[in-house]
Amino acid sequence: MADMKDALLSVLPTIRVPRAGDRVHKDECAFSFHTPESDTGLYICMNTFLGFGRPFVERYFNKTGQRAFLHFKRIPKPKSDDSSSSGDPPRKKPTRLAIGMEGGFDMAEDQCEYEEMVKLVILPEFLEIQREELLELPEMVRDRVTSAIEAILSADSASRKQEIQAWDGEVRQVSKHAFNLPQLEGVPRIPPCGWKCSVCDLRENLWLNLTDGSILCGRRYFDGSGGNNHAVQHYRETGYPLAVKLGTITPDGADVYSYDEDDMVLDPSLAEHLSHFGIDMMKMQKTDKTMTELEIDMNQRIGEWELIQESGVQLQPLYGHGYTGIRNLGNSCYLNSTMQVLFSIPAFQQKYVERMEQIFQKAPTDPTQDFNTQVAKLGNALLSGEYSKPAVEREGDAASEQKGLQDGIAPRMFKALVGKGHQEFSTNRQQDAQEFFLHFINMVERNCRSSSNPNEVFRFLVEEKIKCLVSQKVKYTQRVEYILQLPVPMEAALNKEELSIYEQNRLQAEQEHRPPPELVRARIPFASCLEAFAAPEQLDEFWSAALQAKSNALKTSRFASFPDYLVIQIKKFTFGLDWVPKKLDVSIDVPEELDLSQFRGGGLQGDEEELPDVAPPLVTPDEPKAPVLDESVVTQLVEMGFPAEACRKAVYYTGNSGAEAAMTWVMSHMDDPDFAHPLVVSGVSAPSSVIVGGDPPSEEHIATIISMGFSQEQAVRALRATNNSLERAVDWIFSHIDDLDAEAAMDMSEGRSAAESVSESLAAAGPRVRDGAGRYELFAFISHMGTSTMCGHYVCHIKKEGRWVIYNDQKVCASEKPPKDLGYIYFYQRVQS
């Protein structure tokens, strides 16, 4: 007892009670995926509130000297004997389009109850103090320690705070017509049942117009089910805005649609509006599916879900090294699929997994906010096999749902860090896997400033040739890319006759109110996609420097280099004539082996003459004044994410000849060292891009930029130029990288080493690009199910040890029928000759 008291008194000054703003990491170890459910539990520092698994807590003590830890362990409680007879399934089917809300998709790991074991542990002796033993301590000591323990246990964990941003697809606004809705007199009373459409006699999906009492069928769905659009036609003829779905009326409410507002809405006066037609809302019962239930059912009917997930085949579960599943944290399958593929590439394994120990040793005081630490932690977990074990089957779990599932890992800390500050990736909404891939690549770039960069395996150069059709002169430019986007030429479909027959049958079924025929997909040759990429593109109203006037031109694209790993995105998502996003439901015969040698560019040819690099004469030399620019085009480019000054220069140097010409200039000059510099016209003063006044840059922001390999002077300059915004400062510093390197070289002493000079010249020359043969072999692809990148589900297939493996969140299995023709993003590796 004396030893315990002495030890506790020695650490008492370091024990803190979490305050508002403190992040309490009690769900996940900072260096591994140990959790309170792990065999050894989780150790939570009572000063910094960081969590550590048993292998890392002693390391943290040696580095920081922190001794007081709360040991937190959770043990699943066995299910009660009467659980099977309770009538409640262990996993409830979602009844609400929501995440993290009652009735929605549950984000909890499982529905199990836990017994919590909590004790105080003091290092380095690992002296354990049970909570009951605290009662024997002096009141002041007991109260302080107990308050800290209770506050840690009751605090929202850091990951949950960022993760549970409850998304509710059913949040509805009160209709603007709810309180002043006109209702006609002399309308008939509506019976409590036996309804049918007054136009087509349909007896389901019926809507009661709340103005005139008309009962009409709803809209026809894309699969041919639903109604015949008579309710919406009635609105177009009368302008009566609100309708309620019959069969959904209960004392709690009903489905109300506003045609004027084009959305499901709330009607606080619904009971009063229904009573106008003799309907007592308090006596009504639900007899039809709500719109939410119909949408959930429809999502489960889409054919490609079955094909891509290989749902109709009994798949063999795989476990061990490289076969670790990742839990879905709420629409995070885009992240899961992307990271599984990236960590099957040796360059990323070498950068983060093989160097994990060095990365952990260099980690800052708070490793949860260190990019390299969290990426290394994730990569090691995916490859080690430590977490690749069958999920524990609990009594009552549906065997079919559990088959092949793993406990896997839940990368909350990683997801929160890579999404921090990003408008989309910080949410629980579904995202585009291609956009996340580029976002993650960008983060790797920022954190590999002064070390090896695994992104080099993806980098390649695209050669663009623009030929003025009048002067016949040409201009060659190169740009760096990480992904090749291939268009889908629908006109190249091999089964046009079959598609035509299907479309006729579909329209006939729609007219006769029959279910649609079985879906027929357009079969597009992969070679046609490549040809569409390489085909010359007509540029109208191109500003020709040779003519000093507008002209027509042709633009062609070729490879200036071939990367070690080629990433290809099939541009399946497009816009219709009404600008509504839609997905092309196509089958493309993507080959396992690919030879792109014929698409390599050759640069300026002997019989070609270059276009002069001369700006259009918008400013007369005798009267200097600011150039007049088409601000609408500037705004268009800025909204695409390009720097404002670069957009101004694009419009200026293309002679105000339109958005397409300006966009071409932007893509051609993105790698120019002065790309984002202000537009400077001879005789006209340029606005300064550096803000000299204002608050001094944050020391924390300066330290963050320095940790990326930049000097303090460069960090301060970047922050001042962007009004102390860290995100913008990082973008600014990378857009001015060549200028900064050149200035740094000029400031260095004459006695610098030759190695330093070579290093600087390489950095100033731009990103390093590898090159080799253009022959490739397919080794992975990511597939998307659903009608939009903003919804649906992603899985990936990876070729490992000579066989295809499907990674579907926590389910990792040997693939029987990899749907290579339905992929969205394909990953090829160079074939070594």
Side-chain angles (χ1 to χ4, degrees):
M1 180 63 188
D3 291 343
M4 178 192 76
K5 182 178 179 180
D6 291 343
L8 194 53
L9 289 174
S10 67
V11 300
L12 191 62
T14 67
I15 294 178
R16 294 198 304 119
V17 176
R19 299 188 298 267
D22 282 333
R23 293 191 296 263
V24 180
H25 297 277
K26 61 179 185 179
D27 281 341
E28 181 183 340
C29 171
F31 293 106
S32 69
F33 286 93
H34 287 86
T35 68
E37 293 79 45
S38 300
D39 293 340
T40 55
L42 197 68
Y43 292 81
I44 305 166
C45 176
M46 299 190 71
N47 180 267
T48 63
F49 312 117
L50 294 170
F52 301 95
R54 181 63 177 82
F56 295 97
V57 64
E58 198 163 5
R59 178 184 300 189
Y60 184 71
F61 158 72
N62 292 330
K63 184 173 183 177
T64 64
Q66 296 292 344
R67 300 178 58 202
F69 293 84
L70 183 67
H71 184 245
F72 184 35
K73 182 171 172 58
R74 298 198 301 185
I75 302 174
K77 288 182 179 179
K79 294 200 177 217
S80 56
D81 295 336
D82 60 349
S83 62
S84 59
S85 60
S86 63
D88 293 326
R91 294 188 178 187
K92 294 182 180 179
K93 180 180 178 180
T95 59
R96 186 179 184 89
L97 286 174
I99 295 173
M101 302 187 71
E102 182 64 29
F105 295 89
D106 192 3
M107 293 170 62
E109 289 77 46
D110 49 49
Q111 305 296 324
C112 184
E113 294 184 0
Y114 290 93
E115 176 185 355
E116 294 185 351
M117 302 176 62
V118 179
K119 57 191 173 188
L120 193 63
V121 175
I122 299 177
L123 268 64
E125 302 88 354
F126 281 89
L127 177 64
E128 299 182 354
I129 303 174
Q130 304 295 334
R131 296 176 76 178
E132 299 77 18
E133 296 180 86
L134 295 175
L135 299 174
E136 304 174 23
L137 297 173
E139 182 178 359
M140 183 187 72
V141 176
R142 181 180 68 243
D143 289 349
R144 179 165 178 171
V145 175
T146 302
S147 298
I149 292 175
E150 295 298 334
I152 291 173
L153 294 177
S154 62
D156 287 332
S157 68
S159 57
R160 291 292 183 185
K161 279 184 178 179
Q162 297 188 14
E163 174 186 317
I164 304 182
Q165 300 167 347
W167 167 78
D168 191 351
E170 294 182 68
V171 172
R172 298 172 184 175
Q173 305 299 319
V174 174
S175 171
K176 64 183 181 182
H177 303 288
F179 300 108
N180 57 1
L181 182 73
Q183 291 192 289
L184 304 184
E185 297 299 330
V187 294
R189 294 176 65 85
I190 305 298
C193 59
W195 314 296
K196 65 178 182 179
C197 175
S198 60
V199 177
C200 67
D201 292 342
L202 205 65
R203 294 181 178 273
E204 58 184 17
N205 191 18
L206 298 175
W207 294 77
L208 169 69
N209 189 285
L210 291 174
T211 294
D212 64 1
S214 299
I215 297 178
L216 299 158
C217 61
R219 301 176 194 256
R220 177 176 293 276
Y221 305 139
F222 73 92
D223 65 347
S225 62
N228 295 315
N229 300 321
H230 290 138
V232 67
Q233 288 174 11
H234 182 69
Y235 160 71
R236 290 170 184 156
E237 295 167 359
T238 64
Y240 300 152
L242 296 188
V244 61
K245 186 176 185 185
L246 295 172
T248 68
I249 304 172
T250 69
D252 297 324
D255 277 357
V256 179
Y257 191 83
S258 171
Y259 292 103
D260 179 41
E261 297 158 282
D262 195 22
D263 205 353
M264 301 297 295
V265 295
L266 296 177
D267 180 6
S269 307
L270 182 60
E272 178 186 341
H273 291 153
L274 290 173
S275 66
H276 183 76
F277 304 101
I279 298 176
D280 186 348
M281 182 173 166
M282 302 307 294
K283 295 181 179 178
M284 297 297 289
Q285 294 183 346
K286 181 175 177 292
T287 60
D288 199 359
K289 288 185 176 182
T290 65
M291 298 306 293
T292 296
E293 292 169 334
L294 288 171
E295 188 167 347
I296 290 173
D297 289 347
M298 192 173 297
N299 283 338
Q300 297 173 349
R301 291 206 306 267
I302 300 176
E304 67 178 352
W305 290 63
E306 300 293 319
L307 290 173
I308 291 176
Q309 294 188 104
E310 304 186 54
S311 302
V313 184
Q314 186 67 41
L315 301 179
Q316 174 194 352
L318 298 175
Y319 307 100
H321 298 281
Y323 299 113
T324 303
I326 306 179
R327 300 181 198 174
N328 195 314
L329 304 178
N331 289 326
S332 63
C333 50
Y334 67 91
L335 179 150
N336 297 354
S337 297
T338 303
M339 298 314 299
Q340 291 281 15
V341 174
L342 288 179
F343 273 109
S344 66
I345 296 174
F348 283 85
Q349 297 172 2
Q350 294 160 7
K351 170 69 179 181
Y352 294 107
V353 180
E354 294 179 12
R355 296 184 61 253
M356 184 182 69
E357 284 303 320
Q358 297 98 298
I359 291 173
F360 285 179
Q361 288 171 8
K362 294 179 180 178
T365 308
D366 185 357
T368 68
Q369 301 302 301
D370 182 61
F371 178 80
N372 289 334
T373 297
Q374 294 309 312
V375 177
K377 165 184 160 182
L378 174 65
N380 180 66
L382 292 177
L383 299 178
S384 68
E386 180 180 356
Y387 308 96
S388 179
K389 301 171 184 175
V392 178
E393 293 191 20
R394 301 186 177 94
E395 188 178 352
D397 284 340
S400 60
E401 292 186 4
Q402 288 292 308
K403 185 68 176 175
L405 279 182
Q406 303 181 6
D407 282 334
I409 59 173
R412 297 188 183 91
M413 212 172 276
F414 172 80
K415 183 178 184 293
L417 182 61
V418 297
K420 186 177 180 181
H422 193 281
Q423 187 175 358
E424 290 298 330
F425 298 128
S426 60
T427 72
N428 280 323
R429 294 189 290 268
Q430 184 60 279
Q431 305 298 335
D432 187 343
Q434 179 255 359
E435 291 182 4
F436 177 76
F437 170 78
L438 292 177
H439 172 70
F440 180 76
I441 289 296
N442 186 41
M443 294 196 74
V444 172
E445 290 287 343
R446 293 180 179 185
N447 288 274
C448 290
R449 164 69 179 159
S450 55
S451 59
S452 60
N453 189 340
N455 285 347
E456 290 179 6
V457 301
F458 296 129
R459 266 192 223 127
F460 63 98
L461 293 173
V462 172
E463 173 190 284
E464 280 195 350
K465 169 186 169 182
I466 298 178
K467 181 177 182 179
C468 172
L469 294 180
V470 176
S471 68
Q472 297 297 306
K473 295 183 179 180
V474 299
K475 180 176 183 179
Y476 282 88
T477 57
Q478 290 184 347
R479 70 175 189 270
V480 175
E481 291 286 2
Y482 291 90
I483 191 166
L484 175 66
Q485 295 182 312
L486 291 185
V488 180
M490 296 298 292
E491 66 278 4
L494 299 176
N495 56 338
K496 292 178 183 176
E497 184 177 346
E498 189 180 2
L499 288 169
S500 177
I501 295 173
Y502 163 76
E503 186 62 20
Q504 292 173 11
N505 292 339
R506 187 189 66 79
L507 291 173
Q508 186 176 354
E510 184 175 323
Q511 293 170 358
E512 298 174 0
H513 314 308
R514 293 187 289 103
E518 185 177 348
L519 176 69
V520 175
R521 287 190 176 89
R523 298 200 309 274
I524 310 294
F526 183 77
S528 298
C529 299
L530 282 175
E531 290 168 4
F533 157 75
E537 177 186 351
Q538 178 86 22
L539 299 180
D540 298 324
E541 296 191 341
F542 168 73
W543 178 266
S544 172
L547 305 174
Q548 285 292 290
K550 291 180 181 178
S551 159
N552 291 332
L554 285 181
K555 181 179 75 172
T556 54
S557 298
R558 294 290 186 270
F559 288 90
S561 69
F562 288 116
D564 292 348
Y565 286 80
L566 178 64
V567 185
I568 297 178
Q569 176 199 14
I570 303 296
K571 297 173 70 174
K572 288 187 173 184
F573 297 95
T574 182
F575 291 92
L577 295 176
D578 53 0
W579 291 99
V580 175
K582 66 176 183 178
K583 179 179 176 181
L584 301 176
D585 200 349
V586 296
S587 170
I588 300 177
D589 60 338
V590 177
E592 291 231 11
E593 294 185 356
L594 183 62
D595 190 346
L596 298 174
S597 304
Q598 61 178 312
F599 297 104
R600 183 186 282 274
L604 186 68
Q605 301 300 301
D607 59 346
E608 293 178 332
E609 185 179 351
E610 281 192 282
L611 280 164
D613 194 4
V614 180
L618 290 186
V619 182
T620 56
D622 55 334
E623 188 181 350
K625 58 182 179 179
V628 179
L629 303 177
D630 187 339
E631 290 299 332
S632 64
V633 176
V634 174
T635 303
Q636 272 185 271
L637 296 177
V638 169
E639 288 176 350
M640 294 179 189
F642 299 109
E645 290 299 337
C647 300
R648 287 171 55 80
K649 287 197 289 187
V651 174
Y652 171 69
Y653 286 117
T654 54
N656 283 327
S657 54
E660 187 173 353
M663 187 64 183
T664 301
W665 189 95
V666 167
M667 301 308 294
S668 301
H669 292 78
M670 284 183 67
D671 298 317
D672 292 356
D674 61 346
F675 178 65
H677 287 193
L679 171 62
V680 178
V681 181
S682 178
V684 180
S685 59
S688 172
S689 64
V690 180
I691 299 171
V692 240
D695 298 329
S698 159
E699 290 297 330
E700 183 181 353
H701 289 174
I702 293 174
T704 301
I705 296 177
I706 291 175
S707 70
M708 298 179 187
F710 298 100
S711 69
Q712 179 163 350
E713 181 184 351
Q714 292 169 336
V716 170
R717 183 176 171 187
L719 288 165
R720 287 193 179 280
T722 54
N723 203 19
N724 293 333
S725 166
L726 179 60
E727 289 295 322
R728 288 173 53 210
V730 173
D731 289 334
W732 185 94
I733 210 168
F734 276 98
S735 66
H736 293 74
I737 193 71
D738 292 338
D739 291 346
L740 294 174
D741 284 335
E743 291 171 11
M746 289 177 64
D747 292 339
M748 291 184 69
S749 66
E750 294 297 330
R752 63 188 175 182
S753 67
E756 288 172 329
S757 300
V758 170
S759 174
E760 284 173 16
S761 64
L762 284 175
R768 180 180 173 188
V769 176
R770 302 180 185 179
D771 196 8
R775 294 177 58 241
Y776 292 94
E777 181 181 10
L778 182 68
F779 84 96
F781 61 96
I782 295 174
S783 305
H784 173 267
M785 297 156 279
T787 56
S788 166
T789 54
M790 299 299 104
C791 65
H793 183 58
Y794 287 96
V795 304
C796 71
H797 287 73
I798 305 175
K799 201 169 189 178
K800 290 192 173 182
E801 299 176 327
R803 64 182 172 187
W804 284 100
V805 179
I806 179 173
Y807 291 79
N808 186 0
D809 290 337
Q810 285 172 261
K811 197 170 185 178
V812 181
C813 299
S815 173
E816 294 290 334
K817 299 178 180 178
K820 295 191 288 291
D821 60 324
L822 299 178
Y824 175 47
I825 305 174
Y826 294 87
F827 294 79
Y828 282 87
Q829 59 185 349
R830 194 196 314 277
V831 175
Q832 300 298 336
S833 56

